[in-house]
Amino acid sequence: MRNWMRIALLSLLTLASLNACKQEFLDTQSQEKFTDDAVWSDPALVETFINQIYFRLYEPLTDGRGTANIVDEGHYRGNSASNLFNNSESTQDNLYAWGYQRNLVWNELYKSIRYCNVFFDKVGQVPFSGTMLDGKSDRDRMTGEAHFLRAFTYHYLLALYGGVPLVTDAYGLDSEFSVARNSYQECIDFIVSECDKAASLLPEVQSGINNGRATKGAALALKSRVLLYAASDLHSPNAVISAFEKPELLGYTDDMRTQRWQKAKEAAKAVIDMGIYELHKAEPAPGDSVAQNITEIFLTNNTSEDIMVKYFNQGMGQRWGLYSSPNGYYGWGVNAPIANFVDAFQMADGTPFDWNNPDHAKDPYANREPRFYATIFYNGASWRERPLDAKGLEPHNKIQTGTYQRWNATTGKMYETYGIDTRNSPIENWNGSYTGYYCRKYVDPTVNVQYLRQSVTWRFFRYTEVLLNYAEACIELGQDAEARVYINLVRKRAGLPVTTASGDALKELYRNERRLELAFEEHRFFDVRRWMIGPEAYSPAYQAKIVYPLTANNVTAAIPEVKHVKFDERAWNNKSYFFPIMRDEMNKNPQLDQNPGY
């Protein structure tokens, strides 16, 4: 499929050869080496300059791991960065241990902002052709994209650090780098302004080779997310540490929360009212596998609910499939869902799963809601054909994360064997999930991850998020009936009955809906913080213990016993609602104020 993300690969390699740069094509330093004559006199090269800012946008599929592992979604085996975050041990000296999310740290985000600022500094001298495509000129479209990219980057800075310096100049070597942090409100106002500018300049649809670039809908969806975060608990007066001497850096100091929720509602409604997005298979047809409908969203290049996506090809090195797949398929089990998250999935009738219910406990993977089957690899789940050297060990293509008790008649003793997808696997006994679960979301069953990289599409924004944003704002405004309309749209697509809940029960249900619907999509880490539920989310993590016991006649049972047991201690400190600014940044800029607790 032709789109900007793919042709950008060739463009970047071409620019590298023009400048005799011996470096990887995604090395962002190459932008520093572009001469003005080589770039700003050629609109095609200007577009390539913008492409590289797109490449810097954070998503977890390329590196194969994300924030799910440092919140109550997943567990990353043996990683020191995960341990630091899950126990609130991050400091201004060790934050970069989180290196695999390298595009979500202070200096990398500011690099992207600088590239946007360079564009605005130089755009006046570019000889744009004025060619119209999708109803917008090349000048307007590229300018709108730069406004969007700057807004998106500042959004991440704000969500992680609170108020940050608003830099709109393209700093050079002789510039003054010492600048104070702007207030949270000033940053929100700036980002919203950037989104509005972008929305006015961008087309509603980017077609042909521009498919995947920012659109008006993407700018408005970003605005919706930004205003939703701004209205949330974390940024209300004195929400975190009331003694912090500069609370304006972390949130609002006024009591106008109702107005902020109204703005968040209006921003989400603006996307809805565009009328160009809809839920993928919003009304499951009779006989549909709803789980398969949901799976399709994340394995299909394009769906009706896509607002902004990133396309991949195998040459781009996407590692999510390798990192997430079960051990018995030569996967690494890096993004392993914790049992706490698994327990959040409802029953098929919409009631909560409950270990105290004997029927639930006896067969915990039966009669669960469709999103469970679309998201989780659990013991006994069917999957693709095993690799050739594994077929003899497990010929039925079902996930095995259990321990089998067997009887040795010669010795008269019991011994144990282990499923092919456990950490004691006969395939690879150094890989695999610690939790007894694997992430199914985004894992392409047509790709042999042992040898090939998959190329599924990443969605920066999809329509479901906007519907949930709108519902949350309605709940906070006391408009429960309106909120239920949009929550039930999502539940209907998920094969669940409508809810009639109200008040606190509706809020609790909504938050669980968001947790499940947007799982492993880089939302939960931020939702936990803006809702200020850190102590709940960072409670000890649980894993599945699955045992096929010996029966009275020393035959291995066909049905396992499943229990969830604690395996990973986690802890919370309120300082972790915000990241620390790294010491080297503090040393370079004495006007910066450190966040509280660091």
Side-chain angles (χ1 to χ4, degrees):
M1 178 177 182
R2 300 177 67 211
N3 56 71
W4 73 268
M5 196 66 75
R6 290 171 181 166
I7 66 169
L9 294 172
L10 179 59
S11 302
L12 286 166
L13 290 170
T14 302
L15 280 179
S17 65
L18 287 173
N19 290 279
C21 296
K22 295 181 179 179
Q23 54 191 330
E24 294 184 5
F25 69 94
L26 287 181
D27 184 349
T28 58
Q29 294 303 310
S30 63
Q31 295 190 53
E32 304 274 352
K33 301 179 188 299
F34 296 165
T35 65
D36 288 352
D37 289 342
V39 177
W40 306 108
S41 61
D42 185 346
L45 294 184
V46 173
E47 189 161 69
T48 301
F49 181 88
I50 295 172
N51 289 353
Q52 188 134 310
I53 309 174
Y54 276 103
F55 270 103
R56 295 177 59 80
L57 290 178
Y58 171 69
E59 44 77 19
L61 298 187
T62 297
D63 282 343
R65 46 196 172 177
T67 59
N69 299 323
I70 52 176
V71 73
D72 59 346
E73 287 182 315
H75 172 265
Y76 178 65
R77 50 182 178 80
N79 179 263
S80 59
S82 297
N83 294 334
L84 288 173
F85 276 86
N86 290 333
N87 291 284
S88 292
E89 296 173 356
S90 298
T91 71
Q92 60 183 334
D93 296 306
N94 68 17
L95 183 63
Y96 286 170
W98 195 40
Y100 55 81
Q101 285 93 353
R102 59 184 179 272
N103 286 356
L104 271 191
V105 292
W106 181 282
N107 64 326
E108 292 298 327
L109 290 166
Y110 269 107
K111 282 181 184 178
S112 294
I113 288 169
R114 181 180 183 275
Y115 298 147
C116 293
N117 292 343
V118 168
F119 171 87
F120 291 118
D121 187 52
K122 300 291 187 180
V123 66
Q125 67 190 59
V126 180
F128 287 107
S129 66
T131 301
M132 302 293 289
L133 183 63
D134 298 317
K136 297 291 182 179
S137 68
D138 50 358
R139 176 187 294 275
D140 283 353
R141 177 178 59 77
M142 290 188 213
T143 303
E145 290 176 29
H147 280 297
F148 169 83
L149 291 165
R150 188 161 66 175
F152 205 174
T153 305
Y154 267 118
H155 159 66
Y156 277 123
L157 278 166
L158 194 62
L160 295 169
Y161 298 96
V164 296
L166 290 174
V167 179
T168 57
D169 295 326
Y171 282 178
L173 293 176
D174 298 327
S175 299
E176 174 56 54
F177 294 98
S178 183
V179 57
R181 296 169 65 177
N182 286 81
S183 70
Y184 183 84
Q185 181 171 351
E186 288 171 336
C187 292
I188 287 291
D189 291 345
F190 177 78
I191 295 170
V192 168
S193 175
E194 289 288 277
C195 290
D196 288 340
K197 290 175 183 176
S200 69
L201 294 169
L202 291 169
E204 288 192 355
V205 176
Q206 297 267 23
S207 63
I209 62 173
N210 289 332
N211 189 13
R213 294 182 178 277
T215 60
K216 177 180 180 180
L220 295 179
L222 174 58
K223 180 179 176 180
S224 168
R225 186 184 295 178
V226 167
L227 289 174
L228 185 83
Y229 284 23
S232 298
D233 293 345
L234 181 61
H235 306 294
S236 61
N238 302 323
V240 183
I241 299 177
S242 58
F244 184 47
E245 62 182 11
K246 293 190 176 181
E248 70 275 9
L249 296 181
L250 305 181
Y252 291 91
T253 57
D254 60 53
D255 293 319
M256 300 174 66
R257 291 196 69 191
T258 299
Q259 291 89 331
R260 288 193 282 278
W261 281 117
Q262 184 62 35
K263 287 181 180 179
K265 176 185 174 182
E266 292 168 358
K269 194 61 162 57
V271 182
I272 296 169
D273 288 345
M274 290 181 71
I276 62 176
Y277 308 110
E278 59 184 24
L279 293 176
H280 176 70
K281 297 189 176 178
E283 299 193 22
D288 268 6
S289 166
V290 178
Q292 182 57 35
N293 289 351
I294 295 169
T295 299
E296 286 174 5
I297 299 171
F298 308 102
L299 298 182
T300 305
N301 276 348
N302 301 283
T303 75
S304 59
E305 64 182 85
D306 296 347
I307 297 178
M308 182 180 171
V309 304
K310 178 177 180 178
Y311 297 105
F312 291 81
N313 58 37
Q314 287 187 341
M316 294 172 74
Q318 188 183 98
R319 295 188 286 187
W320 184 270
L322 174 64
Y323 278 32
S324 299
S325 291
N327 196 13
Y329 290 92
Y330 289 95
W332 294 0
V334 166
N335 303 295
I338 62 174
N340 316 51
F341 169 66
V342 171
D343 287 345
F345 286 94
Q346 302 152 85
M347 302 303 293
D349 62 4
T351 58
F353 173 82
D354 185 359
W355 282 104
N356 293 316
N357 182 316
D359 291 333
H360 294 182
K362 182 179 179 181
D363 193 355
Y365 308 138
N367 301 315
R368 302 294 285 273
E369 62 158 293
R371 287 178 299 201
F372 170 80
Y373 302 105
T375 308
I376 305 296
F377 282 129
Y378 56 91
N379 186 67
S382 297
W383 189 231
R384 67 178 179 85
E385 188 172 300
R386 292 280 182 183
L388 290 175
D389 58 349
K391 285 184 177 180
L393 298 170
E394 197 287 296
H396 303 296
N397 306 318
K398 292 183 180 295
I399 304 302
Q400 287 187 349
T401 57
T403 299
Y404 299 79
Q405 295 182 352
R406 305 194 188 279
W407 183 256
N408 186 321
T410 301
T411 64
K413 295 181 179 180
M414 185 270 288
Y415 68 100
E416 294 180 334
T417 62
Y418 303 95
I420 196 172
D421 299 301
T422 67
R423 288 193 59 79
N424 293 309
S425 170
I427 293 291
E428 290 181 345
N429 61 6
W430 63 91
N431 269 328
S433 164
Y434 278 89
T435 70
Y437 299 105
Y438 291 87
C439 180
R440 184 168 188 161
K441 202 168 189 175
Y442 296 112
V443 179
D444 187 344
T446 67
V447 175
N448 184 343
V449 298
Q450 184 180 5
Y451 303 109
L452 300 173
R453 302 291 176 88
Q454 62 177 43
S455 55
V456 301
T457 299
W458 173 255
R459 287 158 175 86
F460 291 108
F461 298 95
R462 63 183 180 100
Y463 189 51
T464 308
E465 178 199 346
V466 174
L467 297 180
L468 292 172
N469 291 352
Y470 183 78
E472 182 173 344
C474 289
I475 290 172
E476 296 293 342
L477 290 168
Q479 300 166 2
D480 287 1
E482 180 77 353
R484 284 194 295 269
V485 171
Y486 290 86
I487 293 171
N488 284 330
L489 289 176
V490 177
R491 286 176 65 84
K492 185 175 184 180
R493 192 268 296 280
L496 290 168
V498 300
T499 181
T500 58
S502 60
D504 289 343
L506 180 62
K507 178 185 274 191
E508 182 179 356
L509 179 141
Y510 162 80
R511 290 186 173 186
N512 197 57
E513 283 295 315
R514 187 177 177 97
R515 181 183 187 184
L516 302 179
E517 180 68 31
L518 303 179
F520 290 88
E521 295 183 52
E522 299 300 305
H523 290 278
R524 181 67 175 176
F525 179 84
F526 298 100
D527 287 345
V528 163
R529 282 154 176 78
R530 68 186 183 85
W531 291 334
M532 297 188 68
I533 57 171
E536 171 189 331
Y538 287 85
S539 58
Y542 283 69
Q543 64 182 177
K545 285 292 186 183
I546 299 165
V547 177
Y548 291 81
L550 282 176
T551 61
N553 58 355
N554 291 330
V555 174
T556 303
I559 298 175
E561 296 175 352
V562 182
K563 296 180 180 179
H564 283 176
V565 299
K566 183 169 66 176
F567 84 106
D568 186 27
E569 294 289 350
R570 297 185 176 187
W572 179 256
N573 185 309
N574 278 349
K575 71 176 186 178
S576 297
Y577 282 120
F578 297 94
F579 275 12
I581 302 173
M582 292 299 294
R583 188 181 299 276
D584 59 350
E585 299 296 335
M586 298 291 293
N587 290 340
K588 286 186 292 186
N589 183 358
Q591 291 199 55
L592 289 177
D593 291 288
Q594 183 60 275
N595 278 329
Y598 297 103

